[in-house]
Amino acid sequence: MPNTNTNRRYSVGAMIFHWTIAIAVIVNWRIAEAAHHAQGADRGAIFANHKALGILILALTLGRLAWRWTHPVPPLPSDLARWEQVLARVVHVIFYVLLIALPLGAWIANSLTGREIDMFGLFTIPPLPIGKNDALGSALFSAHGTGGSIFIYLIGLHILGALKHTFFDRNGGIFRMLPFGKV
């Protein structure tokens, strides 16, 4: 179905979801890095925050997807080369896959190792009823770490693309996702 949206900027709701999730992902990456360098009880406490923020990112992502399905996105700038259009679409699809798969995979891994998820001391999310399997849980945690690393590299690519379109192509790329600036 062709995009019939003639607005060149994303909706305010999409902007709020985008920047909230973006900040949460970067903060969660830094929390995970801090946890890897911590020892003992400190490590567990830091990872507890990483897990809780991951579940919050999952909820925000589901909200963003619902928003996206009910609010048309602006078309890509007409001056993009075909390969840039394809790359932009592929990276966005991978973002959504990772934003859902990483928290779900971690929840499954926690469940397989018999752990609940403490949501910042407000409530806990119990393990899924899938039985205990420490080896599989460990493998999923490892895959989660690899997926997180891939995600960070893709975020870097996304940022570089936005900067390229804004400052070299001068098509206002980054301002499509900001409420100010010239698109």
Side-chain angles (χ1 to χ4, degrees):
M1 181 165 96
N3 188 348
T4 58
N5 184 4
T6 58
N7 191 357
R8 295 168 60 191
R9 216 182 276 282
Y10 282 84
S11 67
V12 172
M15 290 179 198
I16 292 169
F17 275 118
H18 174 273
W19 292 109
T20 303
I21 292 169
I23 291 167
V25 166
I26 298 300
V27 167
N28 217 20
W29 166 55
R30 298 307 305 149
I31 291 171
E33 289 296 315
H36 283 295
H37 299 304
Q39 301 294 322
D42 288 342
R43 182 180 174 110
I46 295 169
F47 263 125
N49 288 328
H50 175 74
K51 294 172 188 181
L53 188 52
I55 295 296
L56 183 58
I57 289 168
L58 174 62
L60 287 167
T61 300
L62 295 175
R64 179 163 184 198
L65 282 170
W67 184 270
R68 185 179 175 114
W69 285 326
T70 58
H71 296 78
V73 299
L76 289 171
S78 60
D79 63 339
L80 293 185
R82 180 73 183 135
W83 70 268
E84 290 175 309
Q85 294 174 17
V86 170
L87 184 60
R89 299 274 188 232
V90 168
V91 168
H92 279 99
V93 167
I94 293 171
F95 277 168
Y96 283 114
V97 168
L98 290 173
L99 285 166
I100 293 170
L102 287 173
L104 278 180
W107 186 10
I108 292 168
N110 275 281
S111 298
L112 287 166
T113 57
R115 298 181 198 138
E116 58 190 18
I117 298 173
D118 175 18
M119 293 299 293
F120 305 112
L122 301 173
F123 60 93
T124 58
I125 298 175
L128 296 166
I130 55 176
K132 195 161 168 48
N133 185 333
D134 287 330
L136 182 56
S138 179
L140 283 176
F141 280 129
S142 179
H144 176 81
T146 301
S149 294
I150 290 168
F151 198 12
I152 293 301
Y153 289 120
L154 286 175
I155 290 169
L157 179 66
H158 181 66
I159 292 167
L160 287 174
L163 294 173
K164 174 200 177 284
H165 296 304
T166 303
F167 298 111
F168 291 103
D169 299 342
R170 298 194 184 278
N171 68 8
I174 199 168
F175 298 113
R176 290 165 37 87
M177 192 50 85
L178 291 170
F180 55 85
K182 185 175 184 223
V183 180

